[in-house]
Amino acid sequence: MKHFFKSTLVVALLFTAGLAYSQEPLPKGLTESEKSILSEFQFTGNRVTDPPAGPVRTMAEWEEVEYLLITWVPSYPNILRQIVEAAIEECKVIITTQNEASVSSYLTSNGIDLTNITFMDEDWDSIWIRDYAGNTIYSDDVGELALTDWIYNRPRPNDDVMPSAHAALVGIPIYITDTGTNDLVNTGGNFMSDGMGNAFASELILDENAPGNPYGVSAKTEEQIDGIMNAYMGIDNYIKMPVLPYDVIHHIDMHMKLLDEETLLVSEYPDGVADGPQIEANIEYVLNNYPSVFGTPYKVKWIPAPPSVNGNYPDTGGSYRTYTNAIFVNGTVMVPTYRPEVDEPALAQWQEMLPGYNIVGIDVDNPGENIIASLGAIHCISHTIGVEEPLWIVHQPVAEANAGSTILLNAMIKHISGINNATLFWRQEGQSTYSEVVMSDEGEDQWSAVLPIPNENINVEYYIEAVANSGKVLARPIVAPEGYWTIDVSSLSAGDWAEQSISGAYPNPTTGTVNFSLKQIEGSVQVSIHNLLGQTLFSSQLEVANGVLSIDLNPSWSGTLFISFAGEFGTVNRKVIKL
């Protein structure tokens, strides 16, 4: 990967030099004065770089973090202090400020150790660093660390060039979509990646780069936008959802969070309230059209969005309160909080979803520092830079197993130096120590282990640890052994187990391909397709019934089809509607 870095000051029309020190902090959305100058502001510039020379991968938020980034805006010292206090236990922190002495004194007086803190003396316009900071990418999955920077969709020139300052400070390359046909407007709050080439956004990304956009960037089709995201960030599948009617800024981080490669945490409203109906429609759209990277449907966890003290939601004048606007920083997750009676169950849910993580609640809704009223929370005012030479472990957890069965666990594990060994650690729930199973190298970065499930109807907890040839050691979950995945162990007959372990068809109805998730079914399985007349249209035998089964339905077939799975367990039937 070539190094492209150009540090160029952008001179903004109609902007005063003292913007960063204005009495009122800028909101996440546009001010009225900013709206009035959009058509005259110069959003594009000469900081353009070519895309990376080879394939790249965008880091997922739960991966290893080297730096947490914030911009110190004096209006929110207590919130920022709490972020720094939690982050320095996990990584280094870069604070943008032109008043290092004052910020240092404030932090020190509040008991904050400055050892892991670096101050960056750069001009700034706003606190919303998630939207304007660069995003971490790696060449060839785990190779050279770099940043990608888009055009910020606000007339805030100091914010827009800050990613270049971050890259220069830590000494890494940066790739910028700033000029020509690659002049892409985008914001970090409206971007979420699984680290595997899939990413989510609202359709704001289409609107802001459409013909007649207010930023003066070239008009782009969705295909062209997808091409830029692929070239600069390695995004192969860019999932875009309709914007929400009451979300003023249309950033998905205010209502959705990826917890891992296959799990979506989504804000939930009472029936028919605010953006609840559109959020539900969007999630249904995703589930019906896009499988996770593992080929299985996304798992969805809902977390209530709290109203104001007076019971108001965004459709009745309440702020857009959310528990999804959280940030991973290695073993810590910082979550916005509002008031104890609604926070306690939300934080408990976070802890249940992510055992072993340090869940830190930070108040964003108090009279002194009510940042939620400015349309953002914790994720919006923080960003991260990943580590050099990450040890990357990807595994689809096994959620269920039958007592006395044998299951196969697989993981993709990569490091630039190669992997020396990998180990599966497991224990029954209630035990204090883990047993070990050496994982086998299956080639092409794939590792596997066979886990015999004990006969007792007791859940199993497990994690995976890998050692790189360089000597680096890392586990997944990253907080292991305190954190782990849990296998729900039950005692079922072979038939009942098969019935539970063969998913319903998805998508259904379908116009072509239909998928089924098969979970650790022992023995071979005969798969057959029949029509309403009982005629056999297709039949095939599976020797290994584990993973995702995809069937391409014949274009001539239509209407109701029956898929049968037959084995030692008996027969399981599923119905598919072929359009």
Side-chain angles (χ1 to χ4, degrees):
M1 183 184 293
K2 299 177 182 178
H3 288 245
F4 291 100
F5 171 66
K6 298 180 182 180
S7 179
T8 308
L9 294 178
V10 175
V11 179
L13 296 174
L14 303 176
F15 248 76
T16 64
L19 178 61
Y21 305 103
S22 61
Q23 294 298 310
E24 291 296 326
L26 291 171
K28 192 170 174 66
L30 288 163
T31 65
E32 290 304 314
S33 60
E34 286 177 326
K35 292 176 183 177
S36 70
I37 66 168
L38 279 180
S39 62
E40 300 176 69
F41 186 82
Q42 181 64 49
F43 283 91
T44 57
N46 60 355
R47 297 179 296 125
V48 65
T49 64
D50 292 330
V56 294
R57 179 182 72 89
T58 297
M59 174 186 121
E61 288 192 32
W62 52 82
E63 294 183 42
E64 300 173 84
V65 167
E66 184 77 16
Y67 298 96
L68 177 96
L69 312 174
I70 62 170
T71 297
W72 194 275
V73 175
S75 300
Y76 304 107
N78 188 52
I79 292 175
L80 294 171
R81 175 190 59 78
Q82 292 177 79
I83 292 174
V84 172
E85 184 175 18
I88 59 173
E89 301 298 322
E90 299 283 355
C91 67
K92 303 166 189 173
V93 176
I94 297 174
I95 300 175
T96 299
T97 179
Q98 291 187 309
N99 199 343
E100 177 181 342
S102 175
V103 176
S104 297
S105 176
Y106 173 77
L107 292 175
T108 302
S109 67
N110 281 278
I112 307 297
D113 185 353
L114 304 182
T115 302
N116 274 352
I117 297 175
T118 297
F119 294 96
M120 188 172 78
D121 184 359
E122 295 287 343
D123 290 338
W124 53 269
D125 297 318
S126 75
I127 197 172
W128 311 108
I129 197 168
R130 173 62 54 175
D131 291 338
Y132 57 77
N135 294 281
T136 296
I137 58 172
Y138 293 103
S139 65
D140 300 314
D141 291 340
V142 292
E144 185 179 40
L145 167 70
L147 294 179
T148 291
D149 176 31
W150 310 304
I151 298 172
Y152 184 30
N153 65 346
R154 300 285 183 264
R156 300 170 184 174
N158 297 314
D159 289 348
D160 196 32
V161 298
M162 201 172 298
S164 294
H166 287 138
L169 180 67
V170 302
I172 61 175
I174 186 167
Y175 300 90
I176 304 172
T177 65
D178 189 64
T179 301
T181 57
N182 289 338
D183 55 349
L184 184 72
V185 174
N186 203 356
T187 52
N190 193 38
F191 176 78
M192 205 167 292
S193 170
D194 68 352
M196 298 284 289
N198 294 319
F200 292 85
S202 79
E203 291 177 352
L204 175 71
I205 180 67
L206 304 179
D207 298 338
E208 293 191 325
N209 294 277
N213 67 78
Y215 309 105
V217 300
S218 60
K220 301 171 190 66
T221 64
E222 182 172 4
E223 182 180 11
Q224 289 172 321
I225 292 171
D226 291 350
I228 295 170
M229 293 296 288
N230 179 265
Y232 283 83
M233 305 197 71
I235 300 303
D236 300 312
N237 190 28
Y238 201 15
I239 303 168
K240 309 168 195 75
M241 298 173 287
V243 299
L244 307 180
Y246 296 100
D247 177 6
V248 177
I249 55 175
H250 305 310
H251 291 183
I252 61 170
D253 67 351
M254 289 302 287
H255 70 273
M256 194 178 92
K257 184 78 177 176
L258 270 170
L259 299 183
D260 56 36
E261 293 89 348
E262 63 174 352
T263 307
L264 306 177
L265 179 66
V266 185
S267 290
E268 182 178 37
Y269 288 91
D271 289 344
V273 169
D275 285 329
Q278 186 62 60
I279 290 173
E280 293 167 10
N282 288 353
I283 297 303
E284 184 177 0
Y285 163 75
V286 170
L287 296 179
N288 288 339
N289 292 278
Y290 299 99
S292 74
V293 70
F294 303 120
T296 52
Y298 282 99
K299 300 176 180 178
V300 180
K301 297 182 181 294
W302 297 90
I303 189 165
S308 68
V309 174
N310 297 324
N312 291 320
Y313 287 100
D315 55 341
T316 55
S319 295
Y320 216 96
R321 294 170 176 84
T322 170
Y323 292 109
T324 60
N325 197 261
I327 181 172
F328 284 88
V329 187
N330 295 327
T332 290
V333 180
M334 288 177 257
V335 180
T337 57
Y338 306 93
R339 56 189 187 278
E341 61 269 26
V342 293
D343 298 335
E344 289 176 6
L347 294 176
Q349 180 177 340
W350 267 99
Q351 195 67 76
E352 181 182 6
M353 294 185 299
L354 299 174
Y357 277 83
N358 179 31
I359 307 299
V360 177
I362 299 177
D363 185 4
V364 296
D365 195 18
N366 64 78
E369 298 183 23
N370 192 339
I371 199 169
I372 197 67
S374 292
L375 307 179
I378 302 302
H379 190 258
C380 302
I381 61 174
S382 56
H383 214 308
T384 58
I385 297 176
V387 301
E388 293 190 37
E389 300 190 0
L391 205 172
W392 188 33
I393 302 173
V394 177
H395 167 68
Q396 183 180 28
V398 172
E400 299 173 328
N402 213 13
S405 66
T406 299
I407 64 174
L408 179 66
L409 298 172
N410 299 289
M412 181 182 72
I413 309 175
K414 300 184 75 169
H415 187 267
I416 194 170
S417 70
I419 300 301
N420 183 275
N421 64 80
T423 306
L424 168 70
F425 291 83
W426 72 276
R427 68 186 180 190
Q428 287 185 289
E429 196 173 54
Q431 294 180 342
S432 58
T433 58
Y434 288 89
S435 299
E436 300 180 21
V437 178
V438 175
M439 301 187 76
S440 300
D441 183 355
E442 306 294 344
E444 298 185 347
D445 306 309
Q446 300 297 315
W447 294 74
S448 68
V450 174
L451 175 61
I453 300 296
N455 288 319
E456 297 91 350
N457 194 18
I458 302 174
N459 292 345
V460 169
E461 300 165 345
Y462 76 99
Y463 67 92
I464 293 169
E465 184 178 271
V467 180
N469 289 330
S470 68
K472 181 174 182 175
V473 180
L474 193 74
R476 181 86 190 271
I478 201 171
V479 291
E482 289 76 17
Y484 43 78
W485 296 296
T486 299
I487 301 174
D488 185 3
V489 178
S490 57
S491 296
L492 298 173
S493 67
D496 288 343
W497 174 253
E499 182 67 39
Q500 288 193 8
S501 300
I502 300 175
S503 74
Y506 62 94
N508 191 18
T510 180
T511 57
T513 300
V514 65
N515 303 294
F516 299 88
S517 298
L518 310 180
K519 301 176 183 177
Q520 307 290 344
I521 298 173
E522 297 188 355
S524 62
V525 175
Q526 187 75 24
V527 181
S528 303
I529 302 177
H530 304 84
N531 60 19
L532 280 171
L533 300 176
Q535 298 169 320
T536 300
L537 305 177
F538 169 86
S539 185
S540 180
Q541 183 158 308
L542 299 176
E543 297 302 327
V544 178
N546 181 35
V548 177
L549 172 64
S550 294
I551 303 175
D552 292 324
L553 302 179
N554 191 304
S556 66
W557 301 342
S558 63
T560 300
L561 303 174
F562 297 97
I563 318 291
S564 65
F565 300 83
E568 296 178 2
F569 51 83
T571 301
V572 173
N573 294 300
R574 296 288 183 260
K575 184 169 70 174
V576 177
I577 305 300
K578 170 67 165 52
L579 301 177

